[in-house]
Amino acid sequence: MGIGYLVGCLFSILLWRFDRQGFFNFINRKFMKKVNNIYLLQFIYICILTFIFIGLTYINNNQVYNGITAFLVIDISNTERNNLNKTEKKHFYDTISTISRALICGFIAPLFFIIILGNGPAIIFTIIYNLTLEGDLNIIGRITSIATIIPSLIAEMFLYTIYVFRNKNFKINFKGDFARNVWKLPLLNVDILAAYIESVNFYFHYNGKNKHYLKSYGDYSGKIDDICIRDYLSISYFICFIVFIVFVTLEFL
């Protein structure tokens, strides 16, 4: 039964001011002051996460554990509400990416891992995701990126369906980058679809080993304002609602 997850999700929404990212950023900064080598730091994190994972395997999947898991891993309200005031043009692209990241990493991915692998992996994913938000944790960051491939594809199916119904058009130009993004930058395809839905261009700064360039996706010139942000926010909440209904249905079966 999934009553624990329902209660945990409810508390996650009610206590949206609880800043999980700030908590993990505080820990990360403390560790970075003590450990100067980024690779050694990541090795330490991986060892700690391994011990946490082993410890979590000994916890019985009772409803209290389920509720605590849902509260810890579901994190969409705080991230998104903090960005509603960033309506200036220079902040729009950061904001749309933040909403996409919250949708995938703060909701779809954790629930996906709970269904497929259980509570422990979902908690571990949440920890490594929050750790990578600050600092150049390239190895852990890559693990996080790989973990978001399938959740990102789930979100893209919803976003593409919404785009087709809104625009009566099946074509989206990913500039030949869709397959590469699926593997290397899963969240970028989500951002591009969001930009197409909101009828605005989306600009992404590529950082390669020997080249850095700005790439534009979309063929629109719509006005960038808070309406776009609020509309995409409402769409993300709608997707969360549908995904959670599916999740709860599977848990109660």
Side-chain angles (χ1 to χ4, degrees):
M1 299 292 286
I3 189 65
Y5 296 122
L6 286 171
V7 174
C9 182
L10 176 62
F11 274 97
S12 178
I13 294 173
L14 292 176
L15 302 176
W16 65 271
R17 292 183 181 275
F18 175 66
D19 190 357
R20 298 162 180 78
Q21 295 175 10
F23 172 75
F24 283 104
N25 286 343
F26 173 79
I27 294 176
N28 197 32
R29 286 193 296 269
K30 291 294 184 181
F31 269 97
M32 292 180 72
K33 288 181 180 179
K34 300 293 183 181
V35 183
N36 294 324
N37 188 297
I38 195 67
Y39 293 102
L40 176 60
L41 177 62
Q42 292 180 92
F43 175 75
I44 293 173
Y45 279 155
I46 290 173
C47 290
I48 293 174
L49 290 170
T50 301
F51 282 113
I52 292 175
F53 177 75
I54 294 174
L56 291 172
T57 59
Y58 288 96
I59 301 177
N60 294 325
N61 282 343
N62 54 52
Q63 295 308 317
V64 175
Y65 182 33
N66 292 345
I68 293 173
T69 299
F71 174 74
L72 291 175
V73 304
I74 294 177
D75 182 22
I76 55 171
S77 299
N78 185 57
T79 301
E80 296 174 15
R81 293 186 190 184
N82 284 341
N83 283 277
L84 279 176
N85 294 325
K86 294 183 179 180
T87 57
E88 301 92 341
K89 185 173 182 178
K90 65 180 180 179
H91 288 304
F92 174 78
Y93 300 106
D94 290 336
T95 302
I96 198 172
S97 294
T98 300
I99 295 174
S100 296
R101 190 170 64 244
L103 171 64
I104 305 302
C105 301
F107 199 87
I108 296 179
L111 296 186
F112 173 78
F113 288 121
I114 289 174
I115 292 174
I116 302 299
L117 301 173
N119 291 340
I123 293 174
I124 295 300
F125 168 81
T126 296
I127 294 174
I128 63 173
Y129 158 64
N130 282 285
L131 287 174
T132 57
L133 291 177
E134 185 172 310
D136 186 23
L137 303 178
N138 51 353
I139 298 174
I140 296 179
R142 185 59 192 145
I143 295 173
T144 305
S145 180
I146 294 173
T148 58
I149 290 176
I150 296 179
S152 294
L153 290 173
I154 293 172
E156 288 161 28
M157 289 189 295
F158 283 104
L159 292 172
Y160 181 71
T161 301
I162 293 171
Y163 169 77
V164 170
F165 275 97
R166 277 194 175 187
N167 296 274
K168 304 297 186 294
N169 182 17
F170 291 92
K171 183 179 179 181
I172 290 182
N173 186 5
F174 288 90
K175 304 291 181 69
D177 296 331
F178 180 83
R180 186 186 71 164
N181 291 342
V182 167
W183 171 245
K184 291 188 175 182
L185 298 164
L187 295 180
L188 179 54
N189 284 338
V190 179
D191 291 337
I192 294 170
L193 278 163
Y196 268 92
I197 289 174
E198 300 304 332
S199 299
V200 296
N201 284 316
F202 185 82
Y203 299 92
F204 184 80
H205 185 203
Y206 280 90
N207 292 307
K209 291 183 178 180
N210 301 312
K211 56 184 178 180
H212 306 275
Y213 58 95
L214 193 67
K215 196 163 187 178
S216 172
Y217 298 91
D219 301 311
Y220 301 103
S221 58
K223 182 180 179 182
I224 299 175
D225 53 25
D226 64 328
I227 296 177
C228 299
I229 298 172
R230 292 180 182 277
D231 183 64
Y232 183 41
L233 186 58
S234 66
I235 289 172
S236 71
Y237 277 124
F238 171 75
I239 294 174
C240 288
F241 175 75
I242 299 299
V243 170
F244 191 71
I245 291 298
V246 174
F247 170 78
V248 171
T249 301
L250 291 175
E251 286 297 321
F252 274 90
L253 288 178

